[in-house]
Amino acid sequence: MVTISVVVPSHNDAGYVAACLEALAAQTLPADEIIVVDNGSTDTTAEVARAGGARLVTEPLRGVWPATAAGFDAATGDLLGRLDADSVPGPGWVAEVEHRMSRADRPTIVTGSGVFYGANRVIRWIARNVYIGGYFTVIGALLGHPPVFGSNYAMRREAWLELRDLVNRDRGDVHDDLDLSWWIQPGMTVVRDDRLLVGISARPFDTLEGLWHRVRIAFHTLAIEFRAWGPLERRAAHRRVQTARERWVGSDELEAPDAAGDGDGETPLPA
């Protein structure tokens, strides 16, 4: 049996953290470890984390990526789950992570989507279908595999040990999930599992300024990635590994990695 750690970064999100920890406490398969990373909060985040049974880690360098990286570094699990402070996982979230990661194809990362709460019905529809849907469609086409969705994913600990010195973990001005997605190495695989759903607050869409801030950081992140590892060079590196795998393993086996699978989630796409 694998062990599972769940990392939740937070900056002044005590109320959301309480709801997230309550949802994690109600899991059908409990996580072996829950880590809340206090990213310089001035509210009761630390007290809420301790009261909710989480292990508290502090990271003074502000930013989602620095906080997330600190949590991953501190985690002891074989699988490292990641939720935002305002994520509300359903009772089967941890069990689905364990189930999907234990299948024969052994993906490096499994990621899911989200259902927004708060705001009105129109905003929630736009947020899910245009914002998240556009992210998976556009960035997925650019990468050649599903991108990681930062509010809802899990990866293998050995993958983090390989990636931790490649990603821009000390930068608070990049989207951590987009940065992680970009630096996934040839041979690693990412799957999007439609059963892996969480509730997500629609608060980023409260104002146009907040939404534009996220879009602007996305373009800023891509500019950084393009300079460090150009998209054509990146795709070529992944393609070389995929071609080598096809020669040694055979395309039929690659297309059907888990003949005994139950059909949940998506077939893994080689990164």
Side-chain angles (χ1 to χ4, degrees):
M1 295 292 292
V2 298
T3 55
I4 302 174
S5 299
V6 180
V7 173
V8 182
S10 174
H11 172 70
N12 289 338
D13 276 330
Y16 287 110
V17 169
C20 182
L21 293 180
E22 183 178 352
L24 286 172
Q27 295 293 299
T28 57
L29 175 66
D32 297 279
E33 177 182 51
I34 300 171
I35 295 175
V36 171
V37 184
D38 184 355
N39 196 206
S41 299
T42 56
D43 65 356
T44 59
T45 290
E47 290 80 358
V48 167
R50 294 190 184 98
R55 175 184 168 198
L56 185 68
V57 171
T58 59
E59 174 51 61
L61 181 61
R62 286 284 302 279
V64 177
W65 219 174
T68 298
F72 285 162
D73 285 346
T76 61
D78 302 311
L79 303 178
L80 308 179
R82 165 73 162 80
L83 297 170
D84 277 334
D86 61 2
S87 297
V88 182
W93 188 83
V94 174
E96 181 61 19
V97 167
E98 193 276 337
H99 167 71
R100 190 61 189 86
M101 296 290 269
S102 66
R103 285 176 58 181
D105 57 312
R106 289 185 55 82
T108 306
I109 298 177
V110 60
T111 189
S113 187
V115 177
F116 285 89
Y117 61 85
N120 58 55
R121 184 178 300 176
V122 174
I123 294 297
R124 293 196 301 269
W125 187 92
I126 293 173
R128 184 172 187 185
N129 294 280
V130 178
Y131 182 75
I132 294 183
Y135 174 67
F136 276 109
T137 300
V138 176
I139 301 301
L142 178 64
L143 294 171
H145 61 80
V148 176
F149 180 49
S151 300
N152 180 12
Y153 72 91
M155 77 170 124
R156 299 189 185 278
R157 178 178 176 79
E158 59 263 30
W160 172 245
L161 295 178
E162 182 175 350
L163 293 169
R164 65 185 301 277
D165 294 325
L166 297 175
V167 298
N168 293 288
R169 56 174 292 159
D170 294 328
R171 299 193 65 149
D173 61 340
V174 300
H175 281 308
D176 58 306
D177 48 3
L178 179 52
D179 185 58
L180 177 63
S181 300
W182 195 267
W183 287 102
I184 288 169
Q185 296 298 288
M188 295 181 176
T189 54
V190 182
V191 296
R192 178 180 173 184
D193 185 349
D194 290 332
R195 293 188 182 186
L196 203 65
L197 278 174
V198 299
I200 312 169
S201 172
R203 57 180 173 167
F205 306 94
D206 288 344
T207 65
L208 287 176
E209 181 182 358
L211 178 58
W212 171 242
H213 174 70
R214 286 176 170 259
V215 173
R216 181 170 53 83
I217 291 181
F219 282 105
H220 174 65
T221 303
L222 286 175
I224 292 171
E225 315 299 2
F226 280 24
R227 288 193 297 268
W229 194 14
L232 295 180
E233 178 187 357
R234 181 186 184 279
R235 290 294 291 265
H238 289 274
R239 190 162 52 247
R240 284 194 296 271
V241 170
Q242 173 63 5
T243 301
R245 289 183 67 215
E246 290 174 351
R247 289 173 180 165
W248 285 99
V249 179
S251 59
D252 291 341
E253 291 183 50
L254 288 175
E255 291 173 2
D258 187 6
D262 54 13
D264 57 315
E266 294 183 358
T267 301
L269 299 177

